[in-house]
Amino acid sequence: MLIMRVMKRNNSRSHCGVWVLVLLFCLQWFGSARARVSYDDKAFIINGRRRILISGSIHYPRSTPQMWPDLIQKAKDGGLDVIQTYVFWNGHEPSPGQYNFEGRYDLVHFIKLVQQAGLYVHLRIGPYVCAEWNFGGFPVWLKYIPGMEFRTDNEPFKAAMQGFVEKIVNMMKSEKLFEPLGGPIIMNQIENEYGPVEWAIGEPGKRYTQWFSKMALGLNTGVPWIMCKQEDTPYPIIDTCNGFYCENFRPNNPSNPKMFTELWTGWYTEFGGPVHVRSAEDTAFAVARFIQNNGSFFNYYMYHGGTNFDRTAGRFIATSYDYDAPLDEYGLPNEPKYGHLTELHKVIKQAEQALVSSYPTVTWLGKNQEAHVFSSKSGPCALFLSNYDPQYSATITFWNKQYVLPPWSVSILPDCKTLAFNTATVTSRSSEPRMINTGSRFYWQSYTEEVISADQSDTFAANVLWEQVNVTRDSSDYLWYTTDVYIASNEGFLKSGKDPILTVMSAGHALQVFINGKPWGNAYGSLENPRLTYSANVKLNAGNNKISLLSASVGLANVGTHYESWSTGVLGPVTLSGLNEGTRDLKYQKWSYKVGLSGESKNLNTLGGISSVEWVQGLFLAKEQPLTWYQATFDAPGGNEPLALDMSSMGKGRIWVNGEGVGRYWTKNTARGSCSKCGYAGTYTATKCETNCGQPSQTWYHVPRSWLKRSGNVLVVFEEWGGDVTGIRLVSRTRT
Ligand code: GAL
């Protein structure tokens, strides 16, 4: 009408043309901006259709862009509708205002690939992500902005968080990636599991929740926002559940759909811990229980776990983030889990109409047995028969038909008549992972670093022990603490031979001690207790002695209330006991510091820096020597199976291939845990099914094929403690 009136007033053709264009623009704008994604208490509604959405987490920086199409295709073949990912702030903004959206951090490319495959995206912008990722996804520089306090009603934090969230939302808008603009993103997430933190810190936490909810909603993305594990989510943000099971979860608003944002398909591995597995049966059981109780969206965390390349792992988290996910670290189907869940998804899809059109009617058939019927006047009907008994199967009769239900299982009849699936009846074949030696040869050369001492020119000094990350700003895992100790010639121990005891207390995570340049020993903490104490007799001479401590961080904490305030490094006490004076406190004497290794400052891990030192080989090759860099060139093996390095002959350190960071390795830290036999039935917990006890937590380290050329590839290893480099093997991964 507006246009008509205007046209009457202006008769000229050109004006008319302009207004037609304006009209078209308006139509397109209104059309595209109308909410095409909405929800009710039954389901997400996309383009008018209620959907039961099946989702899986694939974190883009945990694989390579070359792997993405295949992973996404396998997710699609596995019956997924949605790919869920966090957005990793510290990967995207390594220093303030300097952004990285390239390579593994090419978020837009990743989302477009998902779209091309015909799948949707759940974008968890956070920007706190937890995720066993370094510093929970926050850039380390953020901590050093004056007045900063993370995840609370704190102005510097809120300003920085808003800046990053807006940056991502604007990028998604300009790339037209939100669903109303024609893109695949159908939902967002703000924050992550903030409920427990809010509960711990009280009022400022509540104010922060109000603030970030308003901030997120104000960004007008056109698609719903969710918040996980937070009961006081303000309308219209949807609160969701994370866990091993979520069937008893009730959204805080009865008109919200019931969502399971993290269904843990296994668990992460920590260095020093076992490898956790979760059976296909119990994973399927968790899904079926959720769906039969009116669940409408579930997401496998993780569907593909992948790899914590380089230094992206959180504190004490292993480089492998396999997670026992349906697609293994290398992108291969982890059978029978992948196949079993694929079958389950087909049956859920068959039942979808019934599920979204009615509420379940529950009939108790026995102490641990239930029938859930979804049926509506319009016709579709779906039946779930469940047996929660962890030991016994049950024979039940329902609607005059008899069914045998295996222990701890749900049977699904997607049309109420035909038994199509039972969660404990696995028909998919299992596949055992194999690592096969490729026979690739490495011609090793080595370069051993000098132990740093206090009188070196490239150190700086203070009469205090400094917190490590404050000094390194996480530019390196390593910080040297060195000091001189004077021993008078009348010290009793020089005659008695009873060596004094050096005790070093550190906030973590690993420590190597050198006395007068000689390796003396090491100590390390764990994820549960990162602190460590080193205590041993040390050989000191009359006169000046050099104590050099190499403190190594193993990722930064990613979870815990105000984890940004947690310390790393040698904070003391540091004492020397058994002297004439008794115990000498070394904490307040002069300490000299050096950030990082000299090989790091010489860029030995890069192709450009590698020739800056003299390497030795053959008889001179360093073996079982700490602080040693190794390099070798090798040819890529034929075939296209994924590749890994078997590091079992080594101790602790880092790996690079053609300058790309493979990650931290730590083979001399064997897995504690209880690896008793474990069945699928009964409530699963992270410690229920552990494997690998007494072996290295991680032996194989993924080398993506796309990092390799046919020949002349450069492998660089930095070994912290000492190992046999000639034992390293390049293996290929298959599953039989
Ligand atoms: C959740 C968290 C995830 C991840 C998971 C454990 O609580 O939201 O980011 O850390 O635990 O793998």
Side-chain angles (χ1 to χ4, degrees):
M1 269 183 38
L2 168 80
I3 306 287
M4 296 288 284
R5 246 182 278 137
V6 173
M7 273 168 56
K8 269 184 203 156
R9 261 185 260 143
N10 307 287
N11 261 339
S12 90
R13 276 187 144 238
S14 62
H15 272 89
C16 178
V18 168
W19 282 105
V20 169
L21 280 180
V22 171
L23 172 68
L24 284 176
F25 176 80
C26 288
L27 282 177
Q28 201 192 357
W29 193 82
F30 283 120
S32 62
R34 76 169 190 262
R36 299 201 301 188
V37 183
S38 60
Y39 56 83
D40 61 18
D41 63 335
K42 280 302 317 172
F44 260 72
I45 306 168
I46 307 174
N47 289 322
R49 213 182 124 204
R50 282 213 188 80
R51 297 291 311 272
I52 297 291
L53 292 172
I54 305 177
S55 173
S57 292
I58 301 179
H59 296 158
Y60 51 98
R62 286 178 155 144
S63 53
T64 58
Q66 291 77 7
M67 292 169 71
W68 294 343
D70 180 59
L71 295 173
I72 294 166
Q73 187 58 43
K74 282 179 176 146
K76 186 178 184 179
D77 297 344
L80 264 51
D81 307 301
V82 183
I83 302 293
Q84 186 203 67
T85 182
Y86 283 124
V87 177
F88 296 86
W89 187 358
N90 53 10
H92 291 303
E93 199 177 351
S95 46
Q98 300 228 314
Y99 293 99
N100 173 19
F101 288 94
E102 305 283 309
R104 289 201 303 282
Y105 291 96
D106 194 343
L107 174 61
V108 168
H109 181 49
F110 179 77
I111 295 178
K112 287 188 175 168
L113 287 174
V114 176
Q115 180 174 27
Q116 276 163 30
L119 302 182
Y120 296 122
V121 170
H122 176 201
L123 194 66
R124 306 174 93 187
I125 303 179
Y128 169 67
V129 300
C130 191
E132 292 70 68
W133 189 262
N134 196 41
F135 224 30
F138 288 131
V140 173
W141 53 259
L142 187 67
K143 172 177 168 174
Y144 296 97
I145 292 178
M148 179 61 60
E149 247 185 285
F150 287 2
R151 306 180 74 201
T152 185
D153 185 19
N154 168 279
E155 295 310 320
F157 179 76
K158 291 190 302 189
M161 171 171 171
Q162 179 162 1
F164 182 71
V165 172
E166 277 175 0
K167 166 119 194 146
I168 296 299
V169 166
N170 290 339
M171 182 179 275
M172 298 303 116
K173 279 186 184 169
S174 67
E175 296 284 343
K176 303 210 171 0
L177 294 176
F178 289 115
E179 211 277 349
L181 304 174
I185 304 173
I186 53 166
M187 59 182 100
N188 307 312
Q189 178 181 304
I190 190 76
E191 252 290 347
N192 186 71
E193 296 196 331
Y194 190 63
V197 179
E198 187 187 283
W199 189 83
I201 68 173
E203 275 314 310
K206 290 203 173 107
R207 289 198 300 273
Y208 168 61
T209 296
Q210 290 305 320
W211 170 81
F212 71 70
S213 306
K214 225 171 126 199
M215 186 268 285
L217 293 171
L219 297 173
N220 298 319
T221 62
V223 300
W225 286 88
I226 68 113
M227 273 155 65
C228 59
K229 248 199 198 171
Q230 182 154 8
E231 282 164 11
D232 64 349
T233 312
Y235 178 83
I237 301 182
I238 306 169
D239 67 319
T240 69
C241 182
N242 293 347
F244 289 113
Y245 310 95
C246 276
E247 69 270 20
N248 294 325
F249 168 75
R250 296 273 167 273
N252 61 10
N253 183 334
S255 46
N256 284 353
K258 175 164 157 173
M259 297 177 64
F260 194 165
T261 29
E262 288 183 25
L263 189 166
W264 299 323
T265 50
W267 201 241
Y268 56 83
T269 305
E270 67 198 62
F271 282 127
V275 174
H276 307 270
V277 291
R278 186 178 190 187
S279 67
E281 292 93 327
D282 186 57
T283 311
F285 185 57
V287 170
R289 278 164 69 160
F290 181 70
I291 293 297
Q292 72 174 7
N293 271 352
N294 213 32
S296 62
F297 168 102
F298 63 93
N299 172 75
Y300 296 106
Y301 187 101
M302 301 295 295
Y303 196 74
H304 171 254
T307 310
N308 295 313
F309 292 115
D310 210 8
R311 299 175 64 240
T312 58
R315 193 174 67 175
F316 281 102
I317 301 298
T319 295
S320 168
Y321 199 64
D322 179 88
Y323 223 91
D324 198 24
L327 296 176
D328 74 14
E329 178 180 4
Y330 301 85
L332 304 176
N334 170 12
E335 298 291 15
K337 202 181 255 182
Y338 175 84
H340 191 53
L341 297 174
T342 304
E343 292 308 308
L344 169 62
H345 302 156
K346 284 185 194 146
V347 177
I348 292 175
K349 296 246 144 80
Q350 288 164 21
E352 188 177 22
Q353 270 320 303
L355 295 171
V356 297
S357 334
S358 57
Y359 300 95
T361 314
V362 184
T363 314
W364 279 267
L365 306 167
K367 188 166 152 259
N368 286 316
Q369 293 79 32
E370 290 168 3
H372 294 236
V373 180
F374 292 81
S375 78
S376 65
K377 286 204 194 85
S378 60
C381 179
L383 169 62
F384 291 69
L385 297 168
S386 46
N387 176 19
Y388 295 112
D389 198 297
Q391 259 180 315
Y392 299 107
S393 62
T395 306
I396 54 122
T397 305
F398 189 70
W399 289 342
N400 298 325
K401 263 179 107 175
Q402 222 186 43
Y403 300 91
V404 180
L405 307 177
W408 202 253
S409 79
V410 178
S411 286
I412 307 178
L413 296 80
D415 58 357
C416 282
K417 292 185 209 123
T418 346
L419 174 64
F421 187 84
N422 174 272
T423 57
T425 312
V426 177
T427 53
S428 303
R429 303 251 313 254
S430 52
S431 65
E432 281 303 311
R434 289 268 147 78
M435 292 300 200
I436 300 163
N437 190 354
T438 61
S440 287
R441 288 177 165 250
F442 300 114
Y443 298 96
W444 290 106
Q445 301 188 325
S446 67
Y447 163 78
T448 302
E449 290 218 355
E450 293 280 301
V451 173
I452 301 294
S453 63
D455 46 18
Q456 251 175 252
S457 61
D458 55 353
T459 60
F460 46 94
N463 287 344
V464 65
L465 287 167
W466 272 331
E467 197 278 332
Q468 176 160 342
V469 181
N470 204 357
V471 181
T472 64
R473 299 290 156 110
D474 204 34
S475 62
S476 166
D477 281 359
Y478 303 102
L479 180 64
W480 285 100
Y481 294 75
T482 65
T483 195
D484 288 343
V485 168
Y486 185 76
I487 297 296
S489 52
N490 65 350
E491 277 293 347
F493 77 83
L494 291 171
K495 281 204 202 90
S496 71
K498 262 188 104 189
D499 290 328
I501 296 174
L502 173 71
T503 302
V504 181
M505 309 255 268
S506 163
H509 307 142
L511 183 79
Q512 230 183 135
V513 177
F514 299 84
I515 303 293
N516 293 322
K518 281 207 198 76
W520 212 259
N522 64 39
Y524 51 92
S526 65
L527 177 60
E528 299 72 46
N529 183 11
R531 297 176 172 280
L532 63 95
T533 302
Y534 175 86
S535 195
N537 293 94
V538 288
K539 271 246 165 314
L540 300 177
N541 313 315
N544 203 24
N545 292 271
K546 296 183 186 309
I547 297 183
S548 310
L549 309 174
L550 181 64
S551 178
S553 62
V554 187
L556 302 183
N558 61 279
V559 62
T561 305
H562 284 308
Y563 66 80
E564 78 272 23
S565 62
W566 299 354
S567 302
T568 310
V570 182
L571 297 179
V574 180
T575 58
L576 204 53
S577 59
L579 303 178
N580 288 354
E581 69 205 80
T583 298
R584 194 186 295 178
D585 185 354
L586 306 184
K587 186 170 173 177
Y588 296 106
Q589 64 176 46
K590 183 175 150 210
W591 285 91
S592 297
Y593 293 87
K594 182 173 158 55
V595 175
L597 306 162
S598 76
E600 284 179 302
S601 40
K602 294 185 174 109
N603 294 320
L604 294 189
N605 57 312
T606 68
L607 300 179
I610 200 160
S611 45
S612 60
V613 297
E614 292 264 331
W615 297 80
V616 296
Q617 55 191 339
L619 284 178
F620 300 100
L621 185 77
K623 268 199 182 173
E624 301 294 345
Q625 269 206 55
L627 307 186
T628 300
W629 293 80
Y630 295 98
Q631 63 141 318
T633 37
F634 66 101
D635 295 341
N640 47 24
E641 297 84 24
L643 300 171
L645 289 165
D646 178 341
M647 299 297 287
S648 45
S649 66
M650 302 298 281
K652 177 181 188 298
R654 288 180 63 196
I655 311 167
W656 297 264
V657 170
N658 293 334
E660 301 276 0
V662 170
R664 299 187 183 97
Y665 69 88
W666 196 350
T667 24
K668 279 189 196 148
N669 187 355
T670 47
R672 302 168 301 275
S674 54
C675 291
S676 45
K677 212 171 149 33
C678 130
Y680 80 86
T683 304
Y684 184 79
T685 60
T687 51
K688 187 180 167 196
C689 300
E690 303 183 329
T691 59
N692 239 33
C693 298
Q695 290 163 44
S697 302
Q698 185 180 349
T699 301
W700 298 289
Y701 295 81
H702 181 202
V703 178
R705 276 266 177 193
S706 60
W707 292 358
L708 299 183
K709 309 173 276 184
R710 279 189 63 170
S711 60
N713 298 291
V714 182
L715 168 60
V716 174
V717 172
F718 172 70
E719 170 59 48
E720 225 173 291
W721 291 356
D724 175 8
V725 78
T726 62
I728 295 179
R729 300 277 175 269
L730 186 66
V731 297
S732 68
R733 167 85 162 194
T734 53
R735 297 189 75 112
T736 55

